[in-house]
């Protein structure tokens, strides 16, 4: 039975205490030079002690007890107390429901290797009771064991999103059908034993022991009675300073994982999840780099998936990462000639060798012997070999050490040596390694892989001591051969010591600089890895399939038709439609824009550990490069919502390449562009040359609206953590004045009267509250969400008021005078999408009226604005992007004139015009050959994309010929 989740008191990120600070506004980010009436944009942070923790799930049946994170509910018991949930979970009896069957498919087509997969499915409002179970069948009718649990609820208590998991035993079919029913039983479900000192997980094929203390995350992996791997731990190398000259005198210290907390989040029957928190600690007791790891196990699997997140807890000027990896020991039982090394390079190209090679020798051991070694099979008994070889085996070197280094996106090197202290011998080079390797023998071995290996360069795979009784494997997420990770700020401040000087800097390079703000303290990175415990050395075809599963983890998806029919995400998208020449033209232009950015990532090499997943902001037509080195024109950092453009493009198309592009961006922007500890925890950083460089720290970057779609499509727990960390982000407005650089009168934040913008500020808060409420009925999130909606609606000019005085304790805005303060930025960071969802979810006519007023008037004439609000809105821009607001109002108000106006604004607004060339040209004079369309900018692309997609969904039937 599916039940409501239990909430527990949070311990804080990796055991660290929180400091709640506020950060810069969108006025700081974009226009100190503009009027102070523009939207303020701070805030967001991780929950303080006492905040909601993750819901514990247990095979789809989480405990029902709940406690609040507020003093108002302190009297309730932490465990065992039956307390009523918020109205969201008060599900009425849903009788005689017509629950649709859902046809599912693989995102990239049938995989050759599927270690286990988890996905999300939405349901129309009021259709699926929260207790509903589901069955999964393959295209041929075969029943597939599936595990189901809730991800989100509609306000009436019915299921909005469900998560589903299937193991590697799933029949690999083209399609599957998900329907109400009882899931097929597993012959061997995954089992979890949660003991005092360790957690044991048994998939039916392998057993894994997870330690609850010490340095070994995974102490042992068995396959049957054979121990395949042991002593799995994290390793990091710390370098105190960076040597800028030719001298190399800096010492490097080694740190290992140190476990602080282990929690079983899910325990079967198909899928089990174990969460580990800790820090890296040296032999001297010094610690750094807090980490969170989740280990995923599927019934019938011979692999373990690891999702590793670390938080950079240094200021960027001292203490540099010189290496970061995951290390295992692998027992070696076979003779040296029956031990094998494998690496998969580009595509399915492979290096296949034995520790003691018997091919290519001066004397021939025999064809059968040579063929068996190349195939990775057990060699015939040595007594059957040519004695001229068998008598001289001791004279053949054992190659125990191998290293594959990917130091750029364009090349890797592979080398080997016999053992430490002896010279390296180069093997070969290649372009883009898969990040997959294997060490072992005919009696069993260990395979290992890192996703986005070449995209996240510099990376490295090491095998050491394979000729000894115990080999060592290290998957380096930051290669030691690359030198230290340079996180220092890129310039000396240029004399910008005062606010006026900083505003001048903004006016020339678009960079909002402030001393001390360009720090990476608190940013993070999440990496996905997979480890296999194998019975024997796999053949080349299997190794290639395993490498593919690392590169592109197989994912089951629901089709765009079902996603649209469920009316999730505000109903602002519809499946791709080329049924008329006019629609086809818009669809072709949308495809062109996405394909162009896809090419730019490749041609401009937007890769690297911190950079992969982001795109650039603005093009430099003179140098014919993107402005990678010019202030706020460089990395985009979610400016004007390219994240949402990509996700809505996927929702309506089902295109795999769009999904993977959006997935990489979500992983990047949610981790690298956001602070996870320190003074700005929960806030993101505006666009800059370095992802953490801008002094404007805002919730419009960290906002949950950019994470929601990926979370619900994949049930990714790490993304769920990121959104939950924002639920109390209203507190960030207490410490740092968002308008500090342009305010003329003194301002002291008051918790009962905080100045919060009704655009980028409120929409970020609302997205976090909505997500937490619908995920499990958080009563405080629900209260604040509805209170702010009600009190915004009560303002004489509603959203046009621009800013309100917010009371943290009550969640309400104070009554406001009738005034006009409108910014072109207010609605462009997810507010359109969040308001559409809220209006669909919550029956609050006054709120809808206030939002529709804003939608109608933004692109209206000055006379219309003044007549209704008392003043016109000034010189506004981004009219094309705002055409979707007009379209939304047209549908809600049933006004054809607004639909016509929306399409006029779309075609004639200040964005992309129909008369543009809508093509790129080949350029060979740049460093690398490129496709160039100098008229393209990321701001305009994101808004054009969202406007086109939403206008087609809302008023596509009104599209003029």
């Amino acid at each position: 039975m599916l039940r409501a989740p239990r909430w527990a008191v949070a311990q804080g990120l990796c055991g660290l205490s929180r400091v709640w600070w506020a950060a810069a506004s969108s006025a700081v980010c974009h226009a100190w030079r503009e009027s102070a009436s523009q939207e303020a944009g701070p805030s967001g942070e991780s929950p303080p002690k006492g905040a909601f923790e993750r819901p514990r799930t247990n095979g789809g049946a989480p405990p029902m007890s709940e406690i609040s994170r507020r003093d108002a509910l302190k009297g309730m018991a932490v465990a065992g107390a039956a307390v009523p949930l918020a109205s969201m979970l008060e599900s009425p009896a849903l009788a005689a429901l017509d629950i649709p069957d859902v046809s599912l498919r693989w995102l990239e087509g049938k995989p050759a290797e599927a270690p286990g997969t988890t996905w999300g499915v939405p349901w129309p409002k009021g259709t699926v009771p929260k207790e509903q179970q589901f069955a999964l069948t393959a295209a041929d009718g075969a029943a597939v064991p599936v595990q189901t649990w809730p991800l989100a609820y509609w306000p009436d208590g019915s299921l909005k999103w469900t998560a589903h998991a299937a193991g590697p035993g799933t029949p690999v079919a083209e399609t599957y059908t998900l329907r109400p029913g009882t899931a097929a039983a597993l012959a061997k479900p995954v089992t979890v034993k949660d003991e005092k000192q360790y957690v044991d997980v048994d998939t039916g094929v392998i057993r894994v022991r997870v330690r609850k203390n010490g340095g070994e995350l995974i102490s042992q992996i068995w396959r049957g009675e054979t121990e395949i791997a042991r002593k799995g731990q994290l390793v990091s190398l710390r370098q105190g300073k960076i040597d800028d000259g030719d001298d190399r005198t800096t010492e490097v210290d080694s740190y290992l994982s140190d476990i602080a907390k282990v929690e079983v989040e899910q325990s079967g029957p198909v899928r089990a999840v174990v969460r580990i928190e800790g820090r890296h600690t040296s032999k001297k007791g010094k610690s750094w780099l807090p980490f969170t790891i989740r280990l995923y196990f599927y019934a019938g699997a011979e692999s373990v998936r690891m999702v590793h997140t670390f938080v950079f807890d240094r200021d960027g000027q001292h203490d540099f990462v010189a290496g970061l990896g995951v290390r295992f020991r692998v027992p070696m039982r076979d003779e040296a000639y029956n031990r094998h090394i494998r690496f998969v390079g580009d595509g399915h190209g492979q290096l296949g060798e034995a520790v003691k090679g018997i091919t290519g020798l001066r004397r021939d051991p025999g064809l059968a012997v040579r063929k068996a070694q190349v195939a990775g099979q057990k060699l015939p008994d040595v007594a059957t070999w040519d004695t001229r070889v068998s008598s001289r085996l001791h004279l053949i070197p054992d190659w125990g050490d191998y290293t594959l280094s990917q130091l750029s996106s364009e090349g890797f090197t592979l080398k080997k040596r016999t053992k430490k202290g002896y010279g390296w011998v180069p093997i070969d080079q290649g372009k883009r390694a898969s990040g997959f390797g294997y060490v072992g023998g005919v009696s069993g071995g260990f395979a290992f892989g890192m996703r986005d290996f070449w995209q996240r360069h510099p990376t490295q795979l090491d095998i050491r001591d394979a000729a000894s009784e115990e080999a060592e494997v290290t998957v380096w997420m930051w290669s030691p051969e690359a030198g230290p990770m340079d996180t220092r700020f890129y310039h000396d401040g240029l004399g910008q010591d005062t606010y006026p000087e900083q505003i001048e800097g903004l006016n020339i390079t678009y960079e909002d600089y402030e001393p001390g703000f360009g720090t990476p303290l608190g940013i993070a990175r999440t990496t996905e890895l997979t480890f296999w415990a194998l019975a024997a050395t796999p053949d080349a075809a299997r190794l290639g399939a395993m490498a593919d599963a690392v590169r592109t983890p197989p994912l089951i998806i629901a089709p765009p038709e079902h996603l649209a029919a469920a009316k999730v995400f505000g109903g602002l998208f519809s499946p791709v439609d080329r049924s008329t020449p006019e629609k086809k033209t818009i669809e072709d232009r949308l495809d062109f824009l996405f394909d162009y950015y896809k090419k730019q990532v490749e041609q401009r090499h937007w890769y690297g550990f911190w950079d992969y997943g982001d795109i650039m902001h603005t093009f430099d037509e003179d140098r014919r490069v993107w402005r990678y080195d010019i202030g706020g024109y460089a990395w985009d950092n979610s400016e004007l919502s390219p994240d949402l453009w990509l996700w809505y493009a996927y929702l309506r198309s089902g295109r795999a390449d769009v999904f993977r592009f959006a997935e990489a961006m979500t992983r990047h922007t949610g981790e690298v562009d956001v602070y996870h500890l320190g003074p700005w925890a929960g806030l993101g950083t505006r666009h800059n040359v370095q992802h953490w460089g801008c002094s404007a720290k805002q919730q419009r970057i960290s906002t949950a609206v950019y994470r929601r779609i990926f979370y619900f499509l994949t049930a990714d727990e790490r993304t769920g953590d990121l959104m939950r960390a924002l639920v109390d982000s209203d507190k960030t407005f207490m410490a740092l004045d968002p308008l500090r650089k342009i305010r003329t009168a003194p301002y002291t934040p008051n918790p009962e009267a905080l100045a919060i913008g009704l655009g980028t500020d409120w929409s970020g808060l609302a997205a976090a509250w909505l997500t937490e409420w619908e995920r499990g009925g958080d009563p405080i999130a629900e209260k604040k969400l509805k209170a702010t909606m009600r009190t915004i609606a009560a303002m004489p000019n509603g959203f046009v008021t621009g800013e309100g005085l917010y009371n943290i304790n009550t969640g309400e805005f104070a009554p406001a005078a009738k005034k006009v303060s409108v910014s072109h930025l207010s609605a462009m960071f997810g507010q359109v999408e969040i308001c559409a969802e809220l209006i669909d979810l919550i029956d609050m006519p006054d709120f809808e009226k206030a939002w529709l007023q804003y939608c109608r008037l933004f692109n209206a004439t000055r006379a219309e604005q003044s007549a209704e609000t008392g003043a016109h809105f000034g010189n506004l821009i981004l009219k094309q992007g705002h055409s979707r607001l007009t379209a939304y109002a047209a549908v809600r108000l049933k006004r054809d004139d607004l639909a016509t106006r929306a399409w006029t604004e779309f075609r004639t607004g200040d964005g992309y015009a129909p008369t543009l060339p809508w093509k790129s040209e080949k350029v060979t004079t740049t460093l690398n050959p490129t496709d160039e369309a100098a008229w393209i900018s990321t701001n305009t692309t994101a808004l054009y994309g969202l406007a086109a997609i939403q206008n087609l969904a809302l008023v596509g039937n009104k599209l003029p010929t």
Side-chain angles (χ1 to χ4, degrees):
M1 179 180 290
L2 302 181
R3 302 174 187 152
R6 180 182 66 154
W7 303 94
V9 178
Q11 301 299 312
L13 179 61
C14 300
L16 299 177
S17 61
R18 294 304 206 186
V19 182
W20 307 108
W21 294 64
S25 69
S26 42
V28 174
C29 310
H30 260 281
W32 293 113
R33 60 185 183 273
E34 297 180 10
S35 127
S37 66
Q38 296 220 347
E39 287 298 328
S43 79
E45 84 239 16
S46 303
K49 187 174 182 180
F52 277 166
E53 216 178 6
R54 300 165 307 285
R56 293 178 56 120
T57 54
N58 185 7
M64 293 193 65
S65 59
E66 166 186 324
I67 61 167
S68 169
R69 52 196 170 78
R70 300 295 185 188
D71 291 342
L73 300 180
K74 277 185 177 177
M76 297 182 179
V78 171
V83 297
L85 293 171
S87 61
M88 176 185 202
L89 298 183
E90 294 172 358
S91 178
L94 301 174
L97 297 176
D98 184 16
I99 302 174
D101 290 357
V102 183
S103 178
L104 306 173
R105 64 175 176 84
W106 295 100
L107 179 61
E108 278 95 2
K110 289 197 302 182
E113 178 89 15
T117 185
T118 301
W119 71 96
V121 175
W123 303 98
K125 188 188 326 182
T127 302
V128 182
K130 63 186 180 184
E131 299 87 0
Q132 183 65 54
Q133 290 293 307
F134 292 91
L136 185 69
T137 55
D140 62 0
V144 178
V146 64
Q147 181 174 318
T148 298
W149 64 98
L151 287 180
Y153 304 87
W154 293 99
D156 65 3
S158 62
L159 286 172
K160 185 176 184 181
W161 283 90
T162 51
H164 307 273
T170 300
V172 182
E174 292 287 351
T175 61
Y176 303 88
T177 300
L178 185 71
R179 58 170 54 98
T182 302
L186 281 159
K188 290 185 178 181
V190 63
T191 60
V192 178
K193 292 183 179 179
D194 192 351
E195 304 291 350
K196 184 176 181 179
Q197 299 298 327
Y198 58 85
V199 174
D200 274 356
V201 183
D202 190 337
T203 71
V205 177
I206 63 172
R207 291 180 294 122
V208 179
R209 175 157 293 179
V210 180
R211 290 289 180 187
K212 290 188 173 182
N213 51 58
E216 296 177 10
L217 309 173
I218 295 177
S219 63
Q220 289 164 297
I221 303 177
W222 296 274
R223 186 179 179 115
E225 299 304 315
T226 302
E227 185 183 18
I228 299 296
R230 60 170 75 118
K231 299 179 181 179
Q233 57 191 161
L234 304 182
V235 57
S236 64
L237 305 177
R238 187 197 66 85
Q239 186 168 315
K241 65 178 183 177
I242 291 179
D243 296 311
D244 287 322
D246 294 332
D247 295 335
R248 294 292 181 266
T249 59
T250 302
E251 294 184 358
V252 174
D253 298 322
S254 179
Y255 290 67
L256 299 175
S257 46
D258 186 8
I259 298 169
K261 181 181 178 181
V262 174
E263 177 185 9
V264 176
E265 291 186 324
Q266 204 169 41
S267 57
V270 174
R271 177 185 191 254
V273 184
V274 179
R275 186 178 194 270
I276 308 170
E277 295 180 6
R279 295 177 65 85
H280 293 245
T281 302
S282 71
K283 292 181 179 180
K284 298 179 181 179
K286 295 181 179 180
S287 294
W288 76 329
L289 304 184
F291 64 82
T292 301
I293 283 176
R294 280 187 171 89
L295 301 175
Y296 293 85
F297 307 87
Y298 289 86
E302 53 188 348
S303 62
V304 180
R305 177 173 176 253
M306 174 186 288
V307 175
H308 167 278
T309 301
F310 84 99
V311 181
F312 190 75
D313 61 344
R314 294 298 188 267
D315 65 5
Q317 302 299 115
H318 313 88
D319 294 342
F320 301 95
V321 175
L324 181 67
V326 184
R327 177 172 291 164
F328 281 88
R329 305 280 181 161
V330 181
M332 303 297 285
R333 292 168 294 275
D334 302 298
E335 302 90 348
Y337 49 77
N338 277 324
R339 299 180 185 184
H340 306 119
I341 306 295
R342 300 289 188 266
F343 290 101
V344 180
D346 256 325
H348 287 181
Q350 298 176 23
L351 174 81
E353 295 191 352
V355 171
K356 185 185 291 289
I358 50 79
T359 64
L361 299 173
R362 186 175 184 184
R363 307 303 178 193
D364 184 3
L367 178 61
V369 178
R370 288 186 281 110
K371 289 182 65 175
Q373 188 173 73
V374 170
Q377 298 169 357
K378 185 176 177 61
L379 272 60
D381 188 271
V382 175
T384 67
W385 300 12
D386 187 314
T387 57
R388 292 176 299 172
V389 176
S390 59
S391 64
R392 296 184 175 97
L393 282 177
H394 63 287
L395 299 176
I396 302 173
D398 291 339
W399 298 94
D401 295 356
Y402 286 75
T403 287
L404 186 154
S405 300
Q406 181 90 46
L407 302 186
S408 80
S409 65
E410 299 307 295
F412 69 85
T413 59
L414 189 55
K415 61 186 179 181
K416 69 180 182 180
R417 67 184 180 186
T418 53
K419 56 185 174 182
K420 186 177 180 180
Y422 294 85
W424 288 97
V425 175
I427 299 173
D428 203 348
Q429 301 179 19
K431 189 175 182 183
R432 293 171 170 174
S434 67
F436 177 86
Y438 168 86
V439 62
V442 295
S443 66
F446 188 66
F448 45 93
M450 172 186 160
R451 189 178 180 191
D452 298 328
F453 185 76
W454 60 266
Q455 295 95 326
R456 296 275 197 94
H457 69 83
T459 51
Q460 185 170 314
L461 302 178
D462 282 350
I463 295 173
R464 297 288 184 267
D465 302 324
S468 70
E469 293 182 354
E470 184 181 71
E472 179 185 270
V473 167
T474 308
V475 180
W476 292 103
M477 295 170 279
W478 182 273
S479 165
E481 294 191 358
M485 182 189 294
D486 196 345
T487 51
R488 298 172 295 180
F489 195 69
Y490 79 101
H491 67 68
D492 63 4
L494 307 173
Q496 300 175 73
D497 299 323
T498 65
Y499 290 162
E501 290 167 337
Q502 292 159 27
I503 293 172
E504 284 299 295
L506 185 70
N507 278 318
I508 186 64
T509 63
Y510 205 24
E511 178 169 69
D512 190 0
Y513 172 81
E514 189 169 345
F517 278 69
T519 174
L521 174 65
I523 66 171
R525 202 48 158 143
T526 290
T527 306
E528 300 174 47
L529 307 102
T530 307
F531 304 99
W532 281 265
L534 301 171
T537 302
D539 62 22
R542 174 94 197 277
L543 287 166
M546 294 164 75
D548 288 343
V550 170
R551 289 185 182 102
T552 311
L555 177 67
I556 290 176
I557 61 166
E561 292 75 18
H562 177 77
L563 298 175
K567 297 294 184 184
V568 289
F569 306 126
L572 297 177
F573 66 95
S574 56
V576 172
D577 179 4
R578 287 185 163 86
S579 60
T580 70
E582 293 76 24
K583 290 182 178 180
K584 180 180 183 301
T585 295
I586 295 176
E587 297 287 4
D588 290 347
R589 289 171 179 170
L590 287 170
D591 284 352
F592 165 76
L593 289 171
F594 172 75
D595 293 340
Y596 182 75
Y597 275 86
K598 183 179 175 183
K599 290 178 181 177
Q600 292 299 292
V601 170
E602 173 65 7
Q603 294 171 353
R604 305 287 179 173
H605 303 97
W606 292 340
Y607 301 118
F609 184 87
W610 291 117
D611 296 335
Y612 178 60
D614 206 353
I615 55 181
M616 286 281 171
H617 185 283
T618 305
F619 194 72
D620 185 333
E621 297 183 38
D622 298 308
R623 289 185 292 170
R624 310 193 87 158
V625 298
W626 291 80
R627 303 183 200 178
Y628 70 96
D629 58 348
I630 304 178
Y633 292 114
W635 290 114
D636 192 71
N637 282 35
S638 297
E639 184 68 4
L640 296 186
S641 303
D643 318 57
L644 288 177
W645 159 53
L646 291 166
W647 278 122
Y648 276 87
Y650 166 73
L651 291 171
R652 65 194 304 271
S653 70
R655 283 179 57 173
D657 55 352
V658 177
F659 181 97
R660 298 304 183 184
F661 199 116
E663 178 185 27
M665 182 173 286
T666 302
R667 280 287 190 220
H668 169 91
T669 60
E671 303 282 7
V672 180
D673 297 345
V674 176
Y675 292 104
H676 307 274
L677 55 80
W680 303 307
L683 299 179
T685 300
R686 171 188 174 268
H687 42 109
N688 197 261
V689 171
Q690 291 170 299
H691 296 286
W692 52 85
C694 187
S695 75
K697 311 300 182 185
Q698 321 156 329
Q699 198 189 35
R700 76 181 199 189
I701 306 303
S702 62
T703 175
V705 74
Y706 294 154
R707 327 290 170 222
R708 284 166 52 80
I709 297 176
F710 177 65
Y711 172 75
F712 288 124
L713 291 173
T714 64
D716 178 69
E717 281 86 356
R718 172 58 186 170
T719 307
D721 290 348
L722 296 177
M723 296 190 297
R724 180 153 294 139
L726 298 171
V727 71
D728 288 310
S729 56
D730 48 2
K731 289 187 174 68
T732 62
F733 290 82
M734 281 297 300
L736 184 67
D737 179 13
L739 302 179
R740 62 193 181 280
K741 296 189 181 181
I742 58 174
R743 196 181 295 278
T744 57
Y747 171 73
T748 302
N750 180 345
E752 297 182 352
L754 284 173
I756 290 184
L758 306 184
T760 56
D761 292 351
W762 176 80
S763 63
L765 294 172
W769 293 331
L770 168 62
T771 305
E772 195 68 1
W773 175 42
E774 67 181 354
R775 284 175 68 188
D778 179 345
I780 304 303
E782 178 188 6
K783 172 187 172 182
K784 289 190 172 185
L785 179 63
K786 292 181 176 178
T788 53
M789 292 171 63
R790 174 173 46 80
T791 50
I792 289 172
M795 296 178 184
N797 270 344
F799 283 97
V800 177
T801 309
E803 185 179 75
L805 295 178
Y806 170 77
N807 188 320
I808 284 181
N809 300 318
T810 66
E812 296 178 328
F813 284 102
K818 186 173 183 177
K819 67 174 184 176
V820 171
S821 178
V822 176
S823 167
H824 60 281
L825 298 175
S826 297
M828 297 294 100
F829 289 82
Q831 183 154 5
V832 173
E833 293 73 22
I834 285 299
C835 283
E837 288 204 56
L838 293 177
I839 288 170
D840 187 45
L841 290 170
I842 300 169
D843 184 16
M844 194 177 292
D846 288 344
F847 177 84
E848 180 178 4
K849 180 180 178 182
W851 177 240
L852 292 179
Q853 177 192 49
Y854 190 90
C855 292
R856 284 186 295 106
L857 293 180
F858 187 93
N859 275 343
T861 66
R862 287 189 169 193
E864 291 171 314
Q865 294 166 351
S866 298
E868 192 163 335
T869 67
H872 66 75
F873 294 177
N875 296 320
L876 297 174
I877 60 173
L878 308 183
K879 292 182 179 295
Q880 185 177 73
H882 280 82
S883 68
R884 69 194 201 268
L885 281 74
T886 308
Y888 183 78
V891 171
R892 301 298 297 188
L893 297 172
K894 298 180 172 61
R895 285 181 51 179
D896 287 349
D897 63 317
L898 289 178
T900 300
R901 197 186 93 187
W903 282 117
T904 300
E905 293 163 359
F906 179 73
R907 285 175 165 162
T908 63
D910 51 355
Y912 291 147
T915 55
L916 288 168
W918 290 100
K919 63 181 181 180
S920 60
E921 61 181 76
K922 296 289 183 181
V923 177
T924 59
T925 56
T926 47
L927 184 62
N928 296 291
T930 58
D931 288 78
E932 181 181 301
W935 51 274
I936 285 180
S937 75
T938 301
N939 276 3
T940 309
T941 296
L943 295 189
Y944 178 92
L946 285 167
I949 289 168
Q950 294 176 19
N951 289 348
L952 286 170
L954 293 165
V955 293
N957 60 335
K958 306 293 183 182
L959 177 61
T961 57

